[in-house]
Amino acid sequence: MSGARVTPGTGLANVATGVPLLDHLLVELATAGRFDLSLEIEPDEPVAEVDAAGAAIGQALQPRLRPGAHGHGVMISVEALAMVIIEASGTALVASNADLTGAGGLGTDLAARFLASLAEAAALTLHVRLIEGENTDHVLEAMFKALGVALSEATADSAHR
């Protein structure tokens, strides 16, 4: 059974998606966002596993996102610099200037698929801007770290709900 648990914490991550690159990126996301993440995805085709991971995390986060909540993150990974801004708008939308087709050997944009599934499940508007970066691995790390920071900020007041 696929499912995720996201809780305030220290950045501990127990992730098994079936896509090693995505596992690594989700650990980076949890560490940068300083929340604990537990995620297990049922084995399937890699693209389906990416979609399922985004949906599971979005479903886990959705109850912690008050309407209109927003967050932003700007992070680096070596030479890459990325910015992510999110809003719990009720409208699932991803606007990005990064095309990472082929990263991770999937023949598709792993980040775009993950972000689209996350946005749909959590009803988020996400803006992703790659400011600098040539190395695909570093670009992905910067993007996921920035997303972790943005998600942490957007859910920060959940303890007061």
Side-chain angles (χ1 to χ4, degrees), residues 119-142:
E120 183 67 33
L124 292 174
T125 298
L126 291 140
H127 283 263
V128 179
R129 293 294 171 260
L130 175 60
I131 299 166
E132 186 67 45
E134 296 294 324
N135 180 293
T136 304
D137 291 337
H138 299 160
V139 167
L140 284 167
E141 284 183 5

Side-chain angles (χ1 to χ4, degrees), residues 32-55:
R34 294 188 180 129
F35 50 81
D36 296 341
L37 171 63
S38 176
L39 173 68
E40 185 175 347
I41 300 300
E42 288 185 31
D44 202 338
E45 295 298 316
V47 171
E49 292 168 341
V50 171
D51 290 342

